[in-house]
Amino acid sequence: MAAEKPVEVCVKAAVGVPDSLGDCPFSQRVLLTLEEKKIPYDIKLMDVNKKPDWFLEISPEGKVPVLKLDDGKWVPDSDVITQILEEKYPNPSLVTPPEYSSVGSKIFSSFIKFLKSKDANDGSEQALLDELHALDEHLKQHGPYVNGENVSAVDLSLAPKLYHLVIVLDHFKGWKVPENLTYVHAYIKLLFNRESFVKTKPAKEEHVIAGWAPKVNA
């Protein structure tokens, strides 16, 4: 049953474009969950460089995403938020079976390490390739999504992270996901073409690049 009034959610605005949806993969994960469950929601865009006082009161660390509950409390952390949404709006179910819930879980950290790496021999590229190969093997056996025919929570967590990986590694390193990872490529295409993804992705690829530039140049 749909909510009577829209759920309020604070997410990151684009760097330098405060009225445009930003590049936070954790914010997008929450928006994807809301979209896939057809829950009406009201977005509040946060300029992370000029956080208003009212926002710092509900999220003292200034982190997004944050979701407002029925009792008026604001809850941070995409893991917690998506769990609450699953419990409150169980249909359609997005539960990933426990044995698959950690599939691809090290891809994002491996991507960041490789992105920041200045040493071609430090093993960071191979570590990322190993994670992508493991995902490819899983999808080969269980795809097209991590849990088979239907999209689930783990896919909605991975989709924004893979989007960042594809855009950012190409831009900063001229690196692309190897063509021989055919199941990963098919998975990426499937995810990026979902209506929920198209509606919730950053307004422009440049916003993703702008969001990562300070970390790459650090």
Side-chain angles (χ1 to χ4, degrees), residues 21-189:
L21 184 58
D23 64 305
C24 168
F26 305 101
S27 291
Q28 192 187 359
R29 176 190 180 190
V30 170
L31 297 181
L32 283 168
T33 305
L34 291 164
E35 284 286 344
E36 291 287 346
K37 287 185 171 291
K38 304 278 189 275
I39 303 165
Y41 61 94
D42 182 18
I43 283 186
K44 294 187 186 306
L45 293 173
M46 280 301 116
D47 181 345
V48 291
N49 295 321
K50 291 188 214 156
K51 298 177 183 117
D53 291 342
W54 69 263
F55 176 66
L56 292 171
E57 280 175 25
I58 62 170
S59 179
E61 293 181 16
K63 287 186 177 175
V64 286
V66 195
L67 182 92
K68 191 178 191 179
L69 301 178
D70 291 345
D71 59 7
K73 270 194 197 145
W74 288 87
V75 178
D77 191 318
S78 61
D79 283 336
V80 177
I81 293 169
T82 50
Q83 187 62 43
I84 288 169
L85 292 174
E86 188 59 53
E87 287 165 10
K88 191 166 180 216
Y89 306 96
N91 295 311
S93 171
L94 292 174
V95 174
T96 304
E99 63 270 27
Y100 294 162
S101 60
S102 64
V103 169
S105 63
K106 292 180 182 168
I107 288 174
F108 197 57
S109 57
S110 301
F111 146 64
I112 294 170
K113 197 167 181 185
F114 175 46
L115 175 66
K116 290 181 170 182
S117 167
K118 305 274 195 288
D119 176 3
N121 300 313
D122 65 1
S124 59
E125 180 181 8
Q126 190 57 49
L128 174 59
L129 284 169
D130 290 347
E131 294 301 327
L132 290 170
H133 272 287
L135 175 61
D136 199 72
E137 280 300 315
H138 177 90
L139 294 169
K140 183 178 179 181
Q141 293 174 42
H142 306 285
Y145 294 104
V146 167
N147 188 35
E149 291 299 320
N150 297 315
V151 79
S152 70
V154 69
D155 302 302
L156 304 186
S157 177
L158 274 172
K161 295 169 182 172
L162 289 168
Y163 187 68
H164 282 237
L165 181 155
V166 168
I167 291 171
V168 174
L169 288 180
D170 186 24
H171 179 81
F172 289 105
K173 285 187 177 272
W175 191 94
K176 290 179 169 61
V177 175
E179 287 300 321
N180 65 342
L181 298 178
T182 51
Y183 293 92
V184 169
H185 275 281
Y187 180 60
I188 285 172
K189 193 173 176 186

